Amino acid sequence: MNDLEFSYLDSAAPGNDELDAFARARPDGSAYHLAAWRRAVAGAYGYAGQALVARRNGKLAGMLPLSAVSRPLGKPRWISLPFCDLGGPLADSPDVADALAARARADVGGAGAAGLALRCSHEGALDEAALEGRKVRMLLGLPDSAAALMQSYPPKLRSQVRKAEKNGLTSEVASGSEAVAAFYDVYSRNMRRLGSPPHSRAWFDAIYRHYSAAGDMFIVLVRHEGKAVGAGWVLLCGDKAVIPWASTLADYNPLAPNMLLYWTIQSQLCERGVRQFDFGRSTYGEGTYKFKKQWGAVPVALDWREWDAQGVALNAAPVAAAANGGMKANLRPMIESAWQKLPLAVTNRLGPRLRRYITL
């Protein structure tokens, strides 16, 4: 690939519109590849973002988005991309993608970073035996109308959606600061219930600011008697969409708000001309995987790799669920239980200070 010319482009610099157009046009492009994600990471958490750009004869051939994520008492690490499932090279050929990854590995040490992490999606389909215990994306192809989508569901699924409506739940596509606030209330309460530190409100304000500027996002709220009891945040990239965050309030789960939430999202995507919906990361065979599968989504294995500052591979294994046993597995339930007992105001204040270092 000696005919390729490489350069780095800061996420705040002119020229990112070209990269965004490239991501929207690529079938493997994701909303995470857009400059909006790197700008939100920089604005909310202070991690500088850039893209490694490859050109052939002056024409854009590929790009690799990167964020330099700080660590306590350590050098920053280049990640493509933090706080999401998917990043990695985006290119017009596998050779260019490989060349981008190789160039980043060669440059990371000289830039003073501790290493490189790439979060990619497996290129080929894997059989069920190979997926056992792995982290997967769940992808759903969408028809050209909401009516066709509803008709594609099995009868049991259709009845569950109608049940939510009969239970008095309503849904809406929302925008603006009030929608962000309603989303964050549901999200932060659900994160405390799960025993996990939430992102900061500033993170979601940054996501809203950067993605809404180009119309690349919307929020869906599910309400019961006017109260938001479910919320989902959808990001768009051309004819593809992903849902990074979805939450419901546990007290209202018997009313099936999650069924109405995901139906509203998918029907809205159909009407907007979106043809692929990414339900996000799950562990193959577990509860969230089964929930997403019932909508017709199919698994695609995630392939995450890491290298040190010298470009030496740190892991050659596919992304897998955490193994049972060991100190980490034993401590996690204790930490989650303690977090669940904290007041919401405390978890919302303390959580983002921890969350900035949790890049999953």
Side-chain angles (χ1 to χ4, degrees):
M1 307 299 289
N2 295 330
D3 57 340
L4 289 177
E5 298 177 352
F6 295 98
S7 63
Y8 285 91
L9 180 66
D10 185 272
S11 296
N16 280 282
D17 287 349
E18 180 188 18
L19 303 188
D20 285 355
F22 185 80
R24 291 188 179 96
R26 292 290 309 165
D28 52 346
S30 156
Y32 301 128
H33 284 99
L34 300 177
W37 190 265
R38 303 190 299 282
R39 289 168 178 163
V41 170
Y45 291 125
Y47 300 150
Q50 62 183 342
L52 174 59
V53 180
R55 295 184 183 277
R56 181 184 288 112
N57 299 322
K59 182 180 178 181
L60 180 61
M63 52 90 73
L64 171 58
L66 296 162
S67 292
V69 177
S70 299
R71 297 181 299 172
L73 305 177
K75 293 181 179 180
R77 188 168 53 127
W78 283 5
I79 303 181
S80 181
L81 283 161
F83 311 125
C84 64
D85 308 331
L86 191 64
L90 198 59
D92 60 12
S93 74
D95 287 343
V96 174
D98 290 343
L100 282 162
R103 179 58 183 259
R105 292 196 300 272
D107 291 348
V108 64
L116 170 69
L118 299 183
R119 297 176 177 177
C120 303
S121 184
H122 201 279
E123 293 182 3
L126 298 178
D127 59 32
E128 292 194 9
L131 291 174
E132 192 65 37
R134 289 189 64 161
K135 295 292 186 182
V136 297
R137 302 165 66 200
M138 296 296 288
L139 302 183
L140 175 67
L142 296 172
D144 58 7
S145 72
L149 177 67
M150 178 61 82
Q151 190 60 37
S152 71
Y153 295 153
K156 182 179 179 180
L157 187 59
R158 292 199 295 268
S159 68
Q160 289 177 311
V161 173
R162 296 190 183 103
K163 175 186 175 183
E165 295 171 330
K166 291 177 181 178
N167 286 336
L169 298 178
T170 61
S171 63
E172 62 179 288
V173 178
S175 62
S177 59
E178 291 184 1
V180 177
F183 164 86
Y184 194 74
D185 182 66
V186 175
Y187 160 82
S188 60
R189 291 177 185 275
N190 191 52
M191 293 297 283
R192 183 183 63 166
R193 180 182 66 85
L194 296 172
S196 182
H199 275 293
S200 65
R201 170 64 193 270
W203 164 252
F204 291 104
D205 287 338
I207 289 287
Y208 183 84
R209 182 169 62 255
H210 292 295
Y211 277 91
S212 65
D216 287 329
M217 60 144 289
F218 63 86
I219 296 170
V220 169
L221 300 174
V222 174
R223 297 185 183 274
H224 181 260
E225 298 179 350
K227 176 184 175 64
V229 300
W233 196 304
V234 181
L235 301 179
L236 308 170
C237 180
D239 65 352
K240 303 168 291 295
V242 63
I243 181 167
W245 309 283
S247 297
T248 60
L249 299 182
D251 289 347
Y252 294 86
N253 283 348
L255 302 181
N258 55 343
M259 302 306 295
L260 183 57
L261 176 67
Y262 276 86
W263 156 247
T264 304
I265 289 168
Q266 293 172 68
S267 61
Q268 178 69 201
L269 292 174
C270 287
E271 300 304 328
R272 292 184 180 219
V274 173
R275 294 296 168 259
Q276 184 192 82
F277 179 43
D278 186 343
F279 280 80
R281 183 176 75 242
S282 298
T283 300
Y284 180 81
E286 294 191 355
T288 57
Y289 167 86
K290 293 176 181 177
F291 174 81
K292 297 167 185 177
K293 184 179 180 182
Q294 71 180 331
W295 298 95
V298 297
V300 176
L302 291 170
D303 185 18
W304 293 3
R305 307 281 171 165
E306 293 189 45
W307 297 265
D308 66 14
Q310 287 71 47
V312 177
L314 298 178
N315 67 329
V319 184
N324 293 325
M327 181 178 296
K328 185 176 180 180
N330 291 333
L331 284 176
R332 182 169 180 174
M334 297 171 58
I335 295 171
E336 290 175 349
S337 178
W339 192 265
Q340 291 164 350
K341 294 179 174 64
L342 294 174
L344 182 65
V346 174
T347 59
N348 284 355
R349 185 171 63 252
L350 178 61
R353 299 178 185 180
L354 303 173
R355 191 64 179 81
R356 64 181 288 113
Y357 299 115
I358 304 171
T359 61
L360 300 180

